Amino acid sequence: MSTDSSGLPPAAPSRRRFVTGLAVGGLAAGMGLWRLPALAASGTPRPLQTLSGTDFDLSIGGSMVDFTGRARPAVTVNGTLPAPLLRWREGDTVTVRVANRLRNAYSSIHWHGILLPANMDGVPGLSFDGIAPGETFTYKFQLQQSGTYWYHSHSMFQEQAGLYGPIIVEPRAPAPYHYDREHVVLLSDWTDMDPGALFRRMKKNASYDNYYQRTVGDFVRDARRDGLSATVQDRRMWGQMRMTPSDISDINGHTYTFLMNGTAPAGNWTGLFKPGEKILLRFINGSAMTYFDVRIPGLKMTVVAADGQYIHPVTVDEFRIAVAETFDVLVEPAGADAFAIFAQDMGRTGYARGTLAVRQGLQPPVPPLDPRPLLTMDDMGHGGMGHGGMDHGGMNHGAMDHSSMGHGSTSQAGTDHAAMGHAGHDMQAMDHSAGGMQQHPASETGNPLVDMQAMSLAPKLDDPGMGLRDNGRTVLTYGAMKSLFDDPDGREPGREVELHLTGHMEKFAWSFDGQKFADVEPLRLNYGERMRIVLVNDTMMGHPIHLHGMWSDLEDENGNFHLRKHTVDIPPGTKRSYRVRADALGRWAFHCHLLYHMEAGMMREVRVEE
């Protein structure tokens, strides 16, 4: 039997336990007292611990938690998972003393989406050395913004192990909408495995959680529907790519238990309301690897903020929230005493859920999972081009037999694309409509860390995404959201940098331009410049991309300012651009916020220099 790095065998709860979790789930023992018994699977979920003011003390330590019937170690803050809710106020200067009580590991806290000096950003190796065991680091910075944000560790896999929590920054001026009550809804994913062991498993067998690969029965059904020739052609293309259309997410409900405010589904986290009240729900995706599709059956949701920034209100039935994004929504519960908050994972393998109710203890019906989606060639940027649009010759991969590639990488280690304009990456007057065949950097050609290249891409800002199209519900899109303010900078970008999101599914290798973080020089920005970053997704996975220290101002399909964000989701088959004002000196992280993708290499350093 295999074991994780703690020497314990991986848990093997039933399928139902995976989906629903224990009734409570939660801390079994505080601050490393692991001999104490786990919480029983009954009782009421505890509310988020809330700290407010300008002066804070946070203690990072170890606790035992039980979400699946077996107590497992977690990394917690002040003995809680999630970490305490921090309530700040725009304009205040906050001081946060963070003590590391872990016995044998450095730690850190990154304030996700918060603008601050580089030495307060909390990324070990870039902005500081990390917090050594037994030491305390003091963060101090002034708040230049308001809205819903979150914080998490940037040290190895501590975020997956529980070190994450919500932040609310109260605005100095009244919000442009009214509400009577608010609730934070923090979504996350939990694994009983040691996160390091899970990463090693992904490197050895990246398709471990893909239970839904197509069968002979699927072939017969598809042949009857689409014809034998088309079905054979479809299977041939997928076989040549060594990929499967059912590979929606690397890790899913077969490994994860999905949590809402640290509560497993059967625990029924509950937020209260009174009839006639307008409720503000602050959704945060604090998971390591999971996209969630969120709806509240029986209620419309009006989205009023994205990533902490006000937008023109958009009323929807459902929204997809990528890892690290936040959405603020208004709801007006009426006509029932209880409503389910239902957040299914993108692959339809499980869900987090809670309840809005007039009192504790009510449990409205939980909707069934939607049908499992399948990727199409069009989803991956290969639609309408014959043979899937794959550029086999350009990639020098022959028949896409990735297991037999013996050629070396042409990685341009040490090349600064921003400074040198390599492979067309530093270009003026890009075609933002992404029409025609997509060009690729030389570092992708013949690269054993790149298993595919997208050839026909578009921004797809109005596309709800796979699994959400034509489902009978109104679904939020990036195109439907528009910042409530004009471009705060006003200047046109002076230059453009294009980066390709690349990967190899079988090797679980992820990168920018086929080059791992350790192999390339930083992307250099000139202090004060306005520039455009264009991201091209050459993989079959979505990637939420986060640039630390600066806003990412998403452009529409005509290259105009559209939506201010701190994390921009780049679905497969898309090419999206955003503007950056380089107004923060220092060294900053730029990475995919899927934790295991970042650790596998999809990260760059950005330096803003005088």
Side-chain angles (χ1 to χ4, degrees), residues 489-552:
D489 184 281
R491 297 175 294 167
E492 285 296 311
R495 66 184 175 112
E496 298 175 351
V497 172
E498 180 176 298
L499 292 170
H500 288 236
L501 312 180
T502 47
H504 193 292
M505 297 290 290
E506 287 184 329
K507 297 178 180 179
F508 200 71
W510 303 97
S511 55
F512 288 103
D513 289 349
Q515 302 167 305
K516 287 190 175 182
F517 172 70
D519 297 336
V520 292
E521 286 293 309
L523 180 66
R524 299 178 187 276
L525 279 59
N526 300 314
Y527 180 68
E529 76 168 320
R530 183 69 157 169
M531 66 174 299
R532 174 179 290 119
I533 294 177
V534 181
L535 296 180
V536 177
N537 191 350
D538 279 339
T539 79
M540 62 185 291
M541 293 283 178
H543 301 283
I545 303 298
H546 174 45
L547 173 61
H548 289 219
M550 292 154 274
W551 289 112
S552 299

Side-chain angles (χ1 to χ4, degrees), residues 368-517:
L369 292 169
D370 283 345
R372 291 189 301 272
L374 289 175
L375 282 162
T376 66
M377 288 294 161
D378 187 59
D379 283 326
M380 300 193 301
H382 304 307
M385 300 179 65
H387 199 62
M390 286 302 298
D391 183 10
H392 299 293
M395 294 179 68
N396 193 28
H397 283 184
M400 297 300 290
D401 183 0
H402 307 301
S403 62
S404 63
M405 288 186 297
H407 45 266
S409 169
T410 57
S411 172
Q412 303 294 319
T415 299
D416 182 355
H417 291 175
M420 299 181 64
H422 174 69
H425 275 210
D426 190 2
M427 300 175 288
Q428 305 291 336
M430 275 205 65
D431 176 11
H432 299 287
S433 64
M437 294 286 287
Q438 174 62 46
Q439 301 299 309
H440 294 271
S443 55
E444 286 190 47
T445 303
N447 190 330
L449 300 181
V450 178
D451 65 359
M452 64 175 288
Q453 293 176 322
M455 302 308 296
S456 176
L457 301 104
K460 298 183 180 180
L461 298 179
D462 294 319
D463 181 14
M466 56 185 170
L468 294 177
R469 305 178 188 115
D470 303 317
N471 66 2
R473 301 186 288 266
T474 302
V475 182
L476 184 70
T477 64
Y478 273 16
M481 293 185 286
K482 181 77 169 65
S483 289
L484 199 57
F485 44 86
D486 294 328
D487 183 354
D489 184 281
R491 297 175 294 167
E492 285 296 311
R495 66 184 175 112
E496 298 175 351
V497 172
E498 180 176 298
L499 292 170
H500 288 236
L501 312 180
T502 47
H504 193 292
M505 297 290 290
E506 287 184 329
K507 297 178 180 179
F508 200 71
W510 303 97
S511 55
F512 288 103
D513 289 349
Q515 302 167 305
K516 287 190 175 182
F517 172 70

Side-chain angles (χ1 to χ4, degrees), residues 102-345:
L102 298 173
R103 295 176 183 174
N104 301 307
Y106 274 71
S107 192
S108 60
I109 288 181
H110 164 60
W111 315 99
H112 187 102
I114 301 295
L115 303 181
L116 35 63
N119 63 346
M120 295 287 108
D121 193 46
V123 179
L126 291 183
S127 60
F128 78 143
D129 295 330
I131 309 172
E135 293 188 355
T136 298
F137 183 83
T138 300
Y139 294 88
K140 187 173 183 178
F141 47 87
Q142 186 176 25
L143 298 164
Q144 306 173 45
Q145 65 210 92
S146 63
T148 304
Y149 303 93
W150 65 298
Y151 62 104
H152 58 84
S153 174
H154 233 286
S155 298
M156 293 301 291
F157 304 107
Q158 292 175 10
E159 177 189 337
Q160 173 77 90
L163 206 170
Y164 53 85
I167 296 171
I168 297 175
V169 184
E170 299 286 357
R172 282 183 292 188
Y177 48 81
H178 165 77
Y179 61 95
D180 302 297
R181 189 192 301 243
E182 69 174 28
H183 294 295
V184 169
V185 184
L186 174 58
L187 303 170
S188 60
D189 44 30
W190 168 262
T191 173
D192 275 354
M193 289 185 68
D194 172 80
L198 178 54
F199 181 67
R200 292 190 294 273
R201 189 180 80 182
M202 295 303 300
K203 294 294 289 184
K204 293 177 182 177
N205 184 5
S207 62
Y208 186 95
D209 269 6
N210 186 4
Y211 285 24
Y212 307 111
Q213 300 193 40
R214 292 186 292 185
T215 65
V216 173
D218 294 322
F219 179 88
V220 172
R221 184 201 63 218
D222 292 351
R224 288 172 177 167
R225 183 190 63 200
D226 303 326
L228 180 61
S229 176
T231 302
V232 170
Q233 174 78 346
D234 175 76
R235 297 304 196 271
R236 181 182 293 120
M237 287 189 292
W238 286 103
Q240 288 175 336
M241 291 189 294
R242 295 293 179 90
M243 298 173 186
T244 169
S246 60
D247 205 350
I248 304 301
S249 51
D250 296 306
I251 310 169
N252 57 39
H254 301 296
T255 292
Y256 281 144
T257 299
F258 301 121
L259 308 179
M260 184 175 292
N261 291 337
T263 302
N268 190 32
W269 175 85
T270 300
L272 298 179
F273 72 89
K274 294 180 180 178
E277 285 185 327
K278 182 177 289 188
I279 311 299
L280 177 67
L281 299 176
R282 299 178 181 266
F283 284 93
I284 302 168
N285 189 346
S287 66
M289 293 290 288
T290 305
Y291 284 69
F292 288 101
D293 294 334
V294 180
R295 67 184 191 270
I296 306 176
L299 290 183
K300 293 286 188 179
M301 299 181 290
T302 300
V303 186
V304 293
D307 288 357
Q309 301 296 291
Y310 299 134
I311 66 170
H312 291 277
V314 182
T315 299
V316 297
D317 300 310
E318 186 171 18
F319 61 83
R320 173 165 290 168
I321 184 168
V323 175
E325 289 186 313
T326 74
F327 292 130
D328 293 1
V329 309
L330 293 172
V331 296
E332 299 184 58
D337 289 340
F339 298 86
I341 305 174
F342 183 67
Q344 60 183 335
D345 79 307

